[in-house]
Amino acid sequence: MRNLPFRLIPLVCVSVCSALPGPAFASGQEAVLTPLALSPGLNAVPDIAGTGQEGSIAQLWRQNNKVRGQHIFLVKVGEIAATLEGREQIIDMPHVGDDVIRSVRFARGNFRGKSTLYMLIASRDVGTSPYEAATTHIQSFALVQDHAAFDFAPVRSFVAAQKYCHADAALLAELNFPLSPIYAGRVTPTGC
């Protein structure tokens, strides 16, 4: 299945991946999440933090060398940059695409009675080879207002029981969060 044409991957994954059991978020922590599809550049997000303010997510690409690069995300509420653990830039790690090490995805959902932006991060603890199945950490954050600032507050964090070869495959299996439209991993429950 590794060499399927790119356009067939979503169709095959629907049949293979939709039957995967994935633990739901604990009761009361998060509502149903609606994935946000981002385009390169600036993406407008109405009422981004449940405060009535318009916001945006900038998705930029930084090339590190001949093959590898990474997305850099910058989330703003109005003109104020939101932070994650004190940093304005949120960075993924696609490696070569079929073995994503760190995936950063965005969604809408309710948190503390307000519709807001969620960020989901799956990070693989790769060893000597990024291609091998690795222990994967799953985190979710909700965008909240803290006085005049906006921060991504931790909602949930856990280590997946299964090992994964692709961070997006982990988000699908563990949280039932759909694969990225540009998913280039293997069409298996673990991405291996």
Side-chain angles (χ1 to χ4, degrees):
M1 280 195 189
R2 184 159 178 78
N3 295 323
L4 284 175
F6 181 72
R7 67 183 177 281
L8 291 180
I9 289 174
L11 297 174
V12 173
C13 194
V14 168
S15 62
V16 172
C17 300
S18 63
L20 296 174
F25 288 112
S27 177
Q29 281 189 324
E30 292 174 310
V32 175
L33 298 179
T34 304
L36 291 180
L38 300 181
S39 300
L42 196 61
N43 296 268
V45 182
D47 193 17
I48 192 167
T51 60
Q53 295 172 280
E54 299 298 309
S56 63
I57 303 171
Q59 177 181 295
L60 310 169
W61 180 256
R62 177 172 58 200
Q63 192 69 33
N64 289 342
N65 57 34
K66 293 180 184 177
V67 177
R68 298 181 184 116
Q70 55 196 186
H71 290 103
I72 299 172
F73 301 96
L74 180 64
V75 176
K76 285 191 169 186
V77 181
E79 295 300 316
I80 301 170
T83 60
L84 172 65
E85 298 168 345
R87 297 180 314 269
E88 291 179 358
Q89 294 183 351
I90 301 144
I91 301 171
D92 68 6
M93 192 179 300
H95 192 242
V96 295
D98 65 347
D99 62 340
V100 170
I101 295 169
R102 177 181 159 108
S103 177
V104 177
R105 304 286 300 284
F106 294 92
R108 294 290 302 192
N110 288 321
F111 184 71
R112 298 180 184 158
K114 289 184 180 179
S115 175
T116 192
L117 182 70
Y118 271 79
M119 180 172 37
L120 304 174
I121 299 176
S123 300
R124 299 172 50 236
D125 293 337
V126 296
T128 56
S129 172
Y131 301 104
E132 295 175 7
T135 300
T136 305
H137 302 265
I138 309 283
Q139 298 173 287
S140 63
F141 302 87
L143 183 60
V144 296
Q145 186 169 12
D146 182 19
H147 303 290
F150 290 88
D151 302 307
F152 281 99
V155 175
R156 183 172 183 218
S157 178
F158 66 97
V159 177
Q162 181 80 14
K163 290 186 177 185
Y164 294 92
C165 293
H166 195 293
D168 275 341
L171 290 175
L172 174 65
E174 299 292 329
L175 301 180
N176 201 27
F177 198 79
L179 293 172
S180 164
I182 57 171
Y183 181 78
R186 290 185 178 183
V187 185
T188 67
T190 61
C192 298

